[in-house]
Amino acid sequence: MKPTCLVAGLFNYDTFVTKETADGPERVLFQEVGGTGGVVSKLMATLGWKTMPVCRFDDSEDGMLLRNGLAAYGCDMRYVTNYPDGCTTILSIVLTKRPDGSYRQWIRRSNSRAKAKGFASRFPNWTFVKVDDARRIVGELDAVPDVFFFDAPKPGHRVMASLLREKGALVYFEPFSEKDGRSVMKCMEVADVVKFSKQDFPDVSFVEKYPDKLFIQTLGGPEGARFRFPGRDWQTVPGFPNEKIASPLGCGDWTTVGFLTTLWRSGGVKFSGLTPERVASALSEGQRYASRNCSYFTTCCDELLDELGVRGIVEKPL
């Protein structure tokens, strides 16, 4: 039986465009599912997990394209809605060619509501599952998912995390900023695993408040990552050098997906069954996936999947 992952958080509709010069015209390269929740969903599904995104999009063209994109990767769409009270965040990843042939990358944000009114907006506008709907979804599940992944520290996500953790799911929280400090800390309380980057969380003194959590901090590039297992000191896992860098987008997502998939293949993801040795091995494999991802502009292209050999890998023995 396939392992199951319920995913809530940031979902974007991403458009990659290129410009030969800073003042030149833009050319669309491709469009795909983006955002941490979106990328984790499509990667988990590609690797063989039964993946259930929890999303509130609107019924705009972009909202329907995002929905169809998730469905195309094989996600279970029962908790994805496209209603007028939702919204769809739109990101343009602009690649401008430098004189040396490399690309400068920057991101332009907007949302479907602003687009419908005919004006540009530099603000995303995510809509998240409501608290009542969160309780309903957990009550409707025909089985407890093996993993509940979320990134945005929102009340509905916190409720789902608390309920699912009580039922035995591994709760994996990946905050993207320390700016929402109070909300982030509340979500940490109901999580088993908390992963963040050194760039977003340089000060990790707060981990002392949560001795029962597994903390993972990615350090960037060949520095790799480190983790703090309950009752242990921080342990570093070296990264994998890559001299062919195209884009760092999606590296954190590949680290997460590689980590969880390797755990599952090596004995399961039950928090009670984790050991420092298993965590170190799984995190190293996640770092390897992330390093290879850097060679590509898109997070789930055929070339990368073929290089890693990971399609459906979750059901194969280590």
Side-chain angles (χ1 to χ4, degrees):
M1 183 180 295
K2 288 185 175 184
T4 304
C5 183
L6 194 70
V7 182
L10 304 183
F11 290 78
N12 313 325
Y13 189 59
D14 290 354
T15 299
F16 285 74
V17 300
T18 184
K19 300 170 68 173
E20 290 299 313
T21 63
D23 300 325
E26 294 184 354
R27 178 172 65 89
V28 175
L29 295 176
F30 54 86
Q31 295 173 304
E32 67 170 12
V33 174
T36 301
V39 176
V40 168
S41 292
K42 70 183 183 183
L43 293 182
M44 295 289 262
T46 300
L47 270 60
W49 291 73
K50 178 181 178 181
T51 308
M52 296 185 287
V54 180
C55 317
R56 288 180 60 217
F57 306 139
D58 61 5
D59 54 357
S60 66
E61 178 182 4
D62 293 300
M64 297 308 298
L65 287 170
L66 185 47
R67 178 189 182 89
N68 293 339
L70 287 167
Y73 281 103
C75 294
D76 185 318
M77 304 298 288
R78 71 181 78 178
Y79 300 123
V80 179
T81 61
N82 290 83
Y83 297 143
D85 66 339
C87 193
T88 304
T89 293
I90 305 164
L91 263 60
S92 295
I93 296 90
V94 184
L95 307 169
T96 304
K97 199 170 186 178
R98 296 189 178 104
D100 64 0
S102 64
Y103 284 88
R104 171 181 174 266
Q105 179 177 283
W106 58 283
I107 296 176
R108 186 170 61 224
R109 296 173 174 83
S110 186
N111 65 79
S112 55
R113 291 177 182 173
K115 185 176 178 180
K117 295 177 181 178
F119 63 86
S121 171
R122 61 186 181 88
F123 298 105
N125 192 352
W126 291 285
T127 46
F128 303 103
V129 63
K130 299 176 181 178
V131 170
D132 288 346
D133 289 333
R135 291 195 176 97
R136 175 184 57 79
I137 288 171
V138 173
E140 287 179 358
L141 289 169
D142 48 15
V144 178
D146 296 287
V147 176
F148 174 54
F149 172 95
F150 72 110
D151 55 3
K154 301 299 179 180
H157 299 161
R158 189 170 69 247
V159 167
M160 294 185 78
S162 179
L163 294 174
L164 290 170
R165 190 180 184 216
E166 289 177 0
K167 292 176 178 289
L170 179 81
V171 175
Y172 191 109
F173 176 42
E174 191 165 319
F176 49 85
S177 172
E178 63 179 354
K179 294 178 181 178
D180 297 323
R182 190 174 179 183
S183 298
V184 168
M185 297 304 162
K186 285 184 177 180
C187 288
M188 285 185 187
E189 293 174 1
V190 295
D192 296 304
V193 182
V194 182
K195 172 180 168 285
F196 46 79
S197 70
K198 182 180 179 180
Q199 179 180 357
D200 293 329
F201 291 81
D203 180 5
V204 296
S205 58
F206 60 84
V207 304
E208 301 297 335
K209 301 177 183 178
Y210 308 100
D212 61 332
K213 314 296 180 189
L214 169 61
F215 287 98
I216 298 173
Q217 184 186 41
T218 54
L219 305 174
E223 291 186 52
R226 62 177 186 160
F227 69 92
R228 186 177 185 272
F229 195 82
R232 302 289 188 95
D233 293 330
W234 286 96
Q235 179 178 334
T236 300
V237 176
F240 291 78
N242 184 348
E243 297 180 357
K244 184 187 173 185
I245 303 295
S247 169
L249 286 179
C251 286
D253 307 322
W254 268 110
T255 297
T256 291
V257 170
F259 173 75
L260 290 171
T261 299
T262 304
L263 281 182
W264 176 263
R265 296 174 67 207
S266 68
V269 295
K270 287 289 185 184
F271 191 68
S272 60
L274 301 187
T275 65
E277 294 75 22
R278 290 188 64 211
V279 170
S281 177
L283 187 54
S284 179
E285 187 69 351
Q287 288 283 287
R288 185 177 73 87
Y289 288 8
S291 175
R292 300 314 310 152
N293 169 75
C294 287
S295 295
Y296 303 89
F297 285 119
T298 177
T299 56
C300 201
C301 63
D302 289 337
E303 293 84 356
L304 174 59
L305 296 173
D306 290 341
E307 179 182 345
L308 292 173
V310 293
R311 287 187 178 88
I313 196 171
V314 73
E315 295 184 283
K316 301 176 183 177
L318 277 174

